[in-house]
C-alpha cells in the first residue's frame, strides 16, 4: 500500500517522546536559570514578596496575551479543575522556598540542591504511579544523591538554614511535577501556566503585605520584566515536556540546569566550584545520563503487555 507524501512527512516530523520531552526540558531549564540569574542580581535591591509579586504581574500579563492569541480564552474555566489547582498550590510553595534560598545563597549552591528533583521524582513515580525502578536505576539514583551531598557538603559553612529551604523545595517541586504528569490532556498547557502565574503573583502580594513594599527604579523594573519573560518560557516548556511523556524520560534532562548555572554563576557572579563540587556534578550528570540510557534500551527490548524486569 502506498504512503502519501503528507503522511510520510508527518511521520518524519513526529519526534519520539523521549527526544521531544528531553529537548523541551533542557530549554525550560535554561529559561529558569536565566530567570534565577536575574533574581539573584536583584536579591540585595528588592524584597522577596515584592519581587515575586511584580514578576508575577508581568508574567501573568504575557501569558494572558498568549491565551488570547492562541484562542484559549474559552478554556480558562478548566483552570479551576482540582488537578490544576493542586499542581498550582505546590508550585506556589516551591517558588517561595526557592526564591528565599536563592536570595541568601550563591546561585550554583541552590541549583545544585535542586538537582535532587529528578531523583526524588523517579522514586515518587515508582511509589505512587507504579513506574518500575530496578536495581540499576536505583543505583544511579543513589549515586546522584551522593553527588548532591558532595556539592552541598553537610556540616560545612555552606550548609545552613537556607539550604534546608532549598531541600524542602526539592520535595514540593517533585510533587508538582508528578501532579503535572497526571493533568488531563484536555487542559491546554498555556492555561496551566496562566493559573500558576496568577496564583504565584497573589502569593507575592500576600507576602508583601507582611514584609512591606519599597519603591523600585525603572531599571530594576526592567530587570524584573526580563526575568518574567524567562519564567514564562520555563513554565510553558516544563509543562509541555512532562505531559504525555514518562517522568523517567524527562527527569535526566533537568541536569542541564547545573551546567547552565555553573556557566552563568562564573560569568555573572564569579563563582568557581571546588574540586568536590565538580566531582558531585559529574556524579549527578552521569547518573542522569545512565538513567536515560537504561530507559531507552529497555523500551526497545520490552514488548507490549510485558512488565520490565530490572
Amino acid at each position: 500500500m502506498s504512503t502519501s507524501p503528507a503522511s510520510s512527512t508527518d511521520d518524519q516530523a513526529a519526534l519520539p517522546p523521549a527526544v521531544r520531552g528531553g529537548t523541551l526540558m533542557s530549554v525550560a531549564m535554561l529559561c529558569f536559570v536565566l530567570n534565577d540569574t536575574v533574581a539573584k542580581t536583584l536579591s540585595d535591591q528588592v524584597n522577596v514578596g515584592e519581587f515575586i509579586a511584580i514578576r508575577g504581574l508581568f508574567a501573568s500579563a504575557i501569558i494572558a496575551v498568549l491565551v488570547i492569541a492562541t484562542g484559549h480564552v474559552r478554556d480558562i474555566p478548566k483552570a479551576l479543575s482540582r488537578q490544576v489547582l493542586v499542581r498550582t498550590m505546590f508550585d506556589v510553595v516551591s517558588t517561595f522556598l526557592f526564591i528565599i534560598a536563592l536570595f541568601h545563597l550563591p546561585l550554583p549552591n541552590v541549583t545544585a540542591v535542586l538537582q535532587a528533583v529528578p531523583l526524588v521524582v523517579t522514586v515518587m513515580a515508582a511509589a505512587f504511579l507504579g513506574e518500575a525502578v530496578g536495581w540499576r536505576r536505583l543505583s544511579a539514583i543513589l549515586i546522584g544523591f551522593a553527588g548532591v551531598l558532595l556539592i552541598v557538603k553537610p556540616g560545612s559553612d555552606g550548609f545552613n538554614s537556607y539550604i534546608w529551604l532549598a531541600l524542602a523545595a526539592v520535595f514540593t517541586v517533585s510533587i508538582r511535577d508528578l501532579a503535572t504528569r497526571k493533568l488531563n490532556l484536555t487542559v491546554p498547557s498555556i492555561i496551566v501556566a496562566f493559573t500558576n502565574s496568577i496564583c504565584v503573583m497573589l502569593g507575592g502580594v500576600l507576602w508583601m503585605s507582611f514584609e512591606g513594599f519599597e519603591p523600585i527604579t525603572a531599571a530594576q523594573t526592567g530587570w524584573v520584566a526580563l526575568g518574567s519573560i524567562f519564567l514564562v518560557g520555563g513554565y510553558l516548556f516544563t509543562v509541555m515536556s512532562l505531559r504525555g511523556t514518562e517522568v523517567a524520560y524527562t527527569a535526566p534532562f533537568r541536569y542541564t540546569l547545573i551546567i547552565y548555572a555553573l556557566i552563568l554563576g562564573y560569568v555573572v557572579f564569579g563563582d568557581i566550584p571546588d574540586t568536590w563540587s565538580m566531582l558531585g556534578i559529574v556524579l549527578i550528570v552521569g547518573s542522569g545520563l545512565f538513567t536515560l540510557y537504561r530507559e531507552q534500551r529497555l523500551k526497545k527490548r520490552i514488548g507490549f503487555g510485558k512488565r520490565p524486569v530490572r
Side-chain angles (χ1 to χ4, degrees), residues 9-236:
T9 301
D10 291 341
D11 291 340
Q12 293 175 2
L15 292 174
V19 176
R20 175 185 174 279
T23 301
L24 290 172
M25 184 62 78
S26 296
V27 175
M29 294 302 102
L30 176 59
C31 289
F32 282 132
V33 170
L34 290 172
N35 167 67
D36 295 341
T37 303
V38 171
K40 183 63 181 175
T41 302
L42 297 173
S43 62
D44 58 348
Q45 306 171 42
V46 183
N47 293 333
V48 171
E50 188 175 351
F51 173 79
I52 292 175
I54 297 175
R55 186 186 66 175
L57 178 62
F58 280 115
S60 299
I62 295 170
I63 300 175
V65 172
L66 293 175
V67 169
I68 296 172
T70 55
H72 285 298
V73 175
R74 64 182 182 277
D75 293 314
I76 290 179
K78 296 179 180 179
L80 299 177
S81 70
R82 182 173 176 271
Q83 291 176 325
V84 174
L85 292 178
V86 168
R87 180 200 181 277
T88 300
M89 176 185 67
F90 282 104
D91 196 84
V92 171
V93 175
S94 301
T95 298
F96 278 92
L97 291 172
F98 178 76
I99 291 296
I100 294 172
L102 180 64
F103 271 33
H104 294 87
L105 294 169
L107 176 62
N109 289 45
V110 183
T111 303
V113 174
L114 263 291
Q115 296 318 291
V117 168
L119 309 177
V120 175
V121 166
T122 302
V123 173
M124 286 186 173
F128 301 111
L129 300 183
E131 295 183 9
V133 177
W135 69 269
R136 292 182 181 86
R137 222 168 117 201
L138 182 59
S139 298
I141 290 171
L142 294 175
I143 291 173
F145 275 124
V148 172
L149 292 177
L150 286 176
I151 296 172
V152 173
K153 300 179 184 65
S156 68
D157 293 337
F159 197 87
N160 54 36
S161 59
Y162 294 110
I163 283 289
W164 285 110
L165 291 180
L167 288 170
V170 168
F171 289 94
T172 54
V173 170
S174 299
I175 297 172
R176 180 206 66 186
D177 286 357
L178 288 179
T180 303
R181 178 78 171 86
K182 302 297 289 183
L183 285 178
N184 191 316
L185 293 177
T186 62
V187 183
S189 298
I190 190 70
I191 296 299
V192 177
F194 185 55
T195 307
N196 193 91
S197 182
I198 290 290
C199 291
V200 169
M201 178 190 67
L202 294 176
V205 172
L206 180 62
W207 189 277
M208 193 169 53
S209 66
F210 295 99
E211 189 179 43
F213 176 82
E214 296 290 338
I216 64 174
T217 66
Q220 291 168 342
T221 303
W223 279 109
V224 175
L226 179 62
S228 70
I229 294 174
F230 293 133
L231 184 64
V232 170
Y235 279 158
L236 295 177

Side-chain angles (χ1 to χ4, degrees), residues 253-306:
F253 286 93
R254 284 186 177 274
Y255 296 125
T256 58
L257 188 75
I258 190 65
I259 299 174
Y260 303 141
L262 284 170
I263 295 173
L264 289 171
Y266 173 73
V267 173
V268 180
F269 305 108
D271 295 321
I272 303 176
D274 58 23
T275 303
W276 288 111
S277 295
M278 288 304 301
L279 177 59
I281 292 168
V282 171
L283 292 178
I284 292 172
V285 175
S287 65
L289 292 177
F290 177 78
T291 300
L292 177 63
Y293 166 75
R294 284 294 303 168
E295 286 299 320
Q296 291 177 328
R297 184 175 179 182
L298 287 169
K299 286 295 180 182
K300 292 179 180 179
R301 288 168 43 191
I302 299 168
F304 290 105
K306 295 180 181 179

Side-chain angles (χ1 to χ4, degrees), residues 233-252:
Y235 279 158
L236 295 177
F237 287 119
T238 298
V239 173
M240 288 188 293
S241 69
L242 291 171
R243 298 180 66 180
T245 307
E246 190 173 330
V247 170
Y249 281 143
T250 59

